[in-house]
Amino acid sequence: LVRIVATSSANAAAGIFTTSRVGQFPFNSAAPNYPNAIAYNPANGLVYAYTNSHLYYIDVFSSTPSTSAVQTTGNILKNSAAATFANGKYYYIPLSSDELHAVTFGVTGKSVVSDNVVVAHISSPFNYTMNFGDIAFDTDQNTLYLAFIAEDVQY
């Protein structure tokens, strides 16, 4: 996990950023065991990623960040492809699925209260099977944005 920071608004406007390594998620080069479905929990300073069939976090506020597995009930579906964090929940879409799932965390964000809760079935406006890429949540508008590919066309 790499942190990319502009040290000032002037630097950001000029495209000047510094990078630093924050931590490393477990990695197995056999797909789909690479870190994916990354999301940031700003209240707890945790970055989550799904890899090796587990949800992990790195505490980016810590002076010595380390990687730990989230304490789940074991129901998070394998091979999560896309994720975002909003309203205290980690939302994800498993590979080859049209279901949006939600994971609710305890106060620290390091343990799960409930997981594998289907909050929406996403239907294609194009009558194609969709394979999702990234997702983002606009909490001000309660709007979820999805990138996907359908019939070899990206949206």
Side-chain angles (χ1 to χ4, degrees):
L1 180 65
V2 175
R3 181 186 345 236
I4 302 172
V5 179
T7 56
S8 68
S9 56
N11 282 352
I16 301 170
F17 297 89
T18 59
T19 60
S20 61
R21 181 173 177 228
V22 177
Q24 182 174 344
F25 289 108
F27 177 74
N28 178 339
S29 61
N33 292 319
Y34 45 84
N36 205 356
I38 191 169
Y40 175 63
N41 172 345
N44 297 102
L46 303 176
V47 174
Y48 301 100
Y50 190 86
T51 183
N52 294 340
S53 300
H54 295 288
L55 184 63
Y56 290 89
Y57 68 86
I58 294 176
D59 183 345
V60 297
F61 288 165
S62 172
S63 59
T64 57
S66 62
T67 304
S68 300
V70 174
Q71 299 170 8
T72 69
T73 61
N75 293 322
I76 295 176
L77 295 180
K78 293 182 179 179
N79 304 331
S80 296
T84 191
F85 193 90
N87 301 322
K89 295 180 182 178
Y90 175 84
Y91 292 93
Y92 72 95
I93 300 173
L95 286 175
S96 303
S97 174
D98 67 349
E99 297 176 338
L100 177 67
H101 295 252
V103 176
T104 304
F105 294 94
V107 175
T108 65
K110 298 176 181 178
S111 63
V112 169
V113 174
S114 68
D115 57 15
N116 200 25
V117 176
V118 177
V119 294
H121 290 276
I122 304 162
S123 60
S124 170
F126 308 104
N127 291 328
Y128 298 132
T129 300
M130 296 183 294
N131 293 307
F132 291 96
D134 294 324
I135 59 178
F137 200 103
D138 177 349
T139 54
D140 293 338
Q141 301 296 319
N142 276 334
T143 303
L144 184 68
Y145 295 95
L146 306 158
F148 65 94
I149 188 168
E151 297 293 315
D152 297 326
V153 178
Q154 295 178 4
Y155 295 94

